[in-house]
């Protein structure tokens, strides 16, 4: 059973940078597709970014492309979301998700992922 624990969320200013972390236990994330989703108040949870094992392939939502970067550290079993040029509309609870996979398929669909973290709050003030 894989457990995911996110951290790094906090209150920041418009234009700031922030890095979120997601530590995976109970499995090696190098054999998983890892993703970040987010849910803003009153809205549905939405896809942010994902990567295949070892970061060979990545996919980003249009709203974050060029500003956010997903990456991983296999030695630490940790996946990161580097967020630059943050905007107030990036305010949300950010969730880490995982899907066992040794292939190259990526998905933006929430239901495709098997494991979820508890989320970390990111608030961007204007």
């Amino acid at each position: 059973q894989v457990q995911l624990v996110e951290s790094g969320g906090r209150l920041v200013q418009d234009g700031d940078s922030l890095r979120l972390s997601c530590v995976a236990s109970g499995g090696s994330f190098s054999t998983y597709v890892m993703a970040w989703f987010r849910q803003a108040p009153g809205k549905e949870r939405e896809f942010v970014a994902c990567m295949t094992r070892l970061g060979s392939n990545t996919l980003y939502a249009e709203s974050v492309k060029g500003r956010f970067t997903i990456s991983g550290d296999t030695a630490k079993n940790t996946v990161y979301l580097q967020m630059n040029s943050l905007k107030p509309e990036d305010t949300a609870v950010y969730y880490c998700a995982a899907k066992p996979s040794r292939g190259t398929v990526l998905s933006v669909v929430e239901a495709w992922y098997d494991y979820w973290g508890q989320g970390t709050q990111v608030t961007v003030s204007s």
Side-chain angles (χ1 to χ4, degrees):
Q1 183 75 11
V2 173
Q3 292 187 324
L4 305 173
V5 179
E6 304 97 331
S7 63
R10 62 182 176 89
L11 173 65
V12 296
Q13 300 293 316
D14 190 353
D16 281 354
S17 296
L18 192 63
R19 189 177 78 164
L20 305 182
S21 300
C22 172
V23 179
S25 60
S28 171
F29 92 85
S30 64
T31 62
Y32 286 75
V33 170
M34 302 298 296
W36 288 94
F37 284 74
R38 67 185 182 185
Q39 187 169 21
K43 295 187 177 181
E44 298 289 317
R45 189 152 56 181
E46 65 175 5
F47 169 78
V48 176
C50 63
M51 60 181 277
T52 52
R53 64 191 189 101
L54 307 179
S56 58
N57 196 16
T58 58
L59 187 63
Y60 295 92
E62 284 298 319
S63 60
V64 306
K65 196 174 293 184
R67 299 188 299 124
F68 290 12
T69 303
I70 186 171
S71 64
D73 185 332
T74 55
K76 296 181 179 180
N77 246 16
T78 300
V79 63
Y80 303 101
L81 184 67
Q82 177 66 44
M83 305 185 293
N84 299 329
S85 302
L86 281 162
K87 306 173 182 180
E89 51 264 43
D90 293 318
T91 294
V93 177
Y94 283 72
Y95 297 91
C96 179
K99 169 78 173 182
S101 174
R102 294 185 179 272
T104 59
V105 174
L106 295 172
S107 177
V108 305
V109 178
E110 181 179 344
W112 190 74
Y113 293 87
D114 296 320
Y115 303 103
W116 291 84
Q118 82 292 344
T120 185
Q121 175 71 49
V122 173
T123 303
V124 185
S125 66
S126 56

